[in-house]
Amino acid sequence: MVVKKALQSRQELNGGPFTMAENKKKNGNKIKKQDDLSDELKEELNGRWRNWAMIVYPSSAPKDWRKKISELHIPWIVSPCHDKDVHADGSPKKPHWHVILVFDDVKSFRQIDEIAKKVNAPHPKHCRSLRGYVRYLIHLDDPNKYQYSQKDIENHGIADIDRYFKNSATDRELLMKIVAYIRDNQVRYYQDLVYYAMAIEDEDWFDAISHNTIFLRAVVQGEHFKYKEYVKKENDELDDWAENKLMLEREKPADKMELSVKVKKLRTKGLTQQEIADTLGIGRRTVIRYLKK
């Protein structure tokens, strides 16, 4: 029901209405189903997110559109008016503002779409990266686009937005330091990394860790898996040693001599130590010991 209402609520989603009667009139019997939508649009319709973005056009927005958003009593931010953007062919784009809405809890597409309708905005999109979208407000990471001024951004309650505009090279250098710390200290749990940043009271570290969660979790998980492989290898070698020790204690001197001959004979045939061990059903350490005799 939520998806159906969301689909019916806005004609901009596919260039036309989604009601049964109107679609039949416009497109015959071809009814737009959710299966026909792009994966990106399905994600928008079915997902719930904390941060949302929409575009507001001066030509169609009500004069009090800022007031309408402020009445939501949530943090939000507005870009400078993008009146110098151009299409790929060089033709000018319609002037517009980029608006970011930040909620304390997750919201559905339908909920945000109702807000967008109040200011005559096209359908909203969720922000995959709040930092990335805030920087896009002035095209900071798009040097081929017109560079707007950071001082023209309107901030309505988003705390410390300056952190989003720090130099990329500086951010990258800090991130490399954090990764080096993970490697050198074999950090195997993400929360331990967070606790460390809190313990040293380093706000830059804490911000970098909290805004690069997916990347740093992957690094930490890599250390965790590497440690598990190390432990497994150590346990396997210990089991191998114990098994060989027990076998040798049970062997008679004649059996040991015969086994030693077999090991050396297989070695002359070009078999590796592991292949010899697998063939005779003994451990590799035992093979190495016999080869040294």
Side-chain angles (χ1 to χ4, degrees):
M1 181 61 73
V2 171
V3 172
K4 181 179 179 183
K5 287 184 178 180
L7 289 172
Q8 291 176 348
S9 65
R10 305 304 298 278
Q11 297 185 13
E12 291 89 345
L13 289 176
N14 196 46
F18 278 83
T19 63
M20 180 75 73
E22 290 173 321
N23 262 305
K24 283 185 176 180
K25 183 177 180 181
K26 183 176 180 181
N27 300 318
N29 291 323
K30 185 179 180 182
I31 305 301
K32 192 70 175 177
K33 299 179 180 179
Q34 192 181 9
D35 291 342
D36 299 324
L37 301 175
S38 67
D39 290 340
E40 182 178 359
L41 190 50
K42 288 180 185 177
E43 185 180 29
E44 296 291 343
L45 293 172
N46 298 322
R48 297 174 67 85
W49 320 92
R50 288 186 60 244
N51 305 318
W52 289 84
M54 59 185 180
I55 297 175
V56 177
Y57 293 94
S59 58
S60 59
K63 291 183 179 180
D64 62 344
W65 69 270
R66 288 178 174 82
K67 180 181 177 182
K68 291 179 182 295
I69 296 179
S70 293
E71 288 174 349
L72 298 172
H73 303 293
I74 61 167
W76 61 293
I77 187 171
V78 188
S79 73
C81 183
H82 283 212
D83 54 4
K84 295 180 177 60
D85 291 2
V86 296
H87 294 286
D89 61 3
S91 60
K93 291 184 177 181
K94 288 177 60 176
H96 58 276
W97 293 285
H98 290 275
V99 178
I100 303 174
L101 309 176
V102 179
F103 295 89
D104 291 332
D105 52 5
V106 294
K107 302 294 181 183
S108 68
F109 170 87
R110 187 163 63 90
Q111 289 174 301
I112 308 305
D113 199 47
E114 289 299 316
I115 298 173
K117 284 195 294 185
K118 292 180 180 180
V119 296
N120 295 330
H123 66 277
K125 291 187 176 182
H126 80 273
C127 294
R128 296 179 182 275
S129 167
L130 181 59
R131 179 181 184 276
Y133 207 100
V134 168
R135 292 170 69 87
Y136 184 77
L137 297 181
I138 58 174
H139 295 160
L140 188 60
D141 299 313
D142 292 271
N144 294 326
K145 295 185 177 182
Y146 184 84
Q147 299 295 294
Y148 296 97
S149 174
Q150 181 181 339
K151 64 182 178 62
D152 293 329
I153 290 175
E154 300 176 31
N155 181 19
H156 299 266
I158 295 182
D160 191 21
I161 66 167
D162 289 339
R163 69 182 186 273
Y164 297 121
F165 296 101
K166 290 182 179 179
N167 182 273
S168 297
T170 303
D171 293 344
R172 186 164 52 248
E173 182 179 346
L174 177 59
L175 205 54
M176 290 175 67
K177 288 182 179 179
I178 295 174
V179 171
Y181 174 81
I182 294 172
R183 178 199 62 203
D184 297 341
N185 294 276
Q186 298 179 333
V187 179
R188 303 193 299 276
Y189 298 97
Y190 179 77
Q191 65 265 33
D192 289 343
L193 186 63
V194 176
Y195 297 156
Y196 174 75
M198 293 173 63
I200 63 175
E201 298 182 352
D202 192 316
E203 293 183 357
D204 290 336
W205 268 59
F206 191 86
D207 286 345
I209 292 169
S210 61
H211 289 102
N212 294 276
T213 305
I214 296 176
F215 170 70
L216 291 175
R217 275 188 185 276
V219 177
V220 170
Q221 286 176 352
E223 283 295 325
H224 184 72
F225 292 143
K226 187 170 69 174
Y227 175 76
K228 287 177 66 176
E229 287 296 317
Y230 169 77
V231 171
K232 183 178 181 300
K233 182 180 177 182
E234 288 291 305
N235 288 338
D236 288 345
E237 290 184 354
L238 182 61
D239 291 342
D240 189 31
W241 175 82
E243 179 185 348
N244 289 337
K245 186 172 184 294
L246 182 61
M247 182 180 294
L248 290 173
E249 290 175 350
R250 293 176 177 175
E251 286 178 347
K252 297 178 181 179
D255 294 333
K256 292 182 181 180
M257 183 64 68
E258 182 181 353
L259 188 59
S260 176
V261 172
K262 288 180 179 179
V263 168
K264 292 178 181 179
K265 186 175 181 180
L266 290 174
R267 185 60 170 171
T268 59
K269 291 182 178 181
L271 273 68
T272 65
Q273 295 175 356
Q274 190 59 54
E275 288 172 339
I276 295 172
D278 294 340
T279 301
L280 299 177
I282 59 177
R284 192 167 65 87
R285 288 174 180 267
T286 303
V287 172
I288 294 173
R289 184 167 52 81
Y290 280 134
L291 290 175
K292 288 180 178 180
K293 289 184 177 180

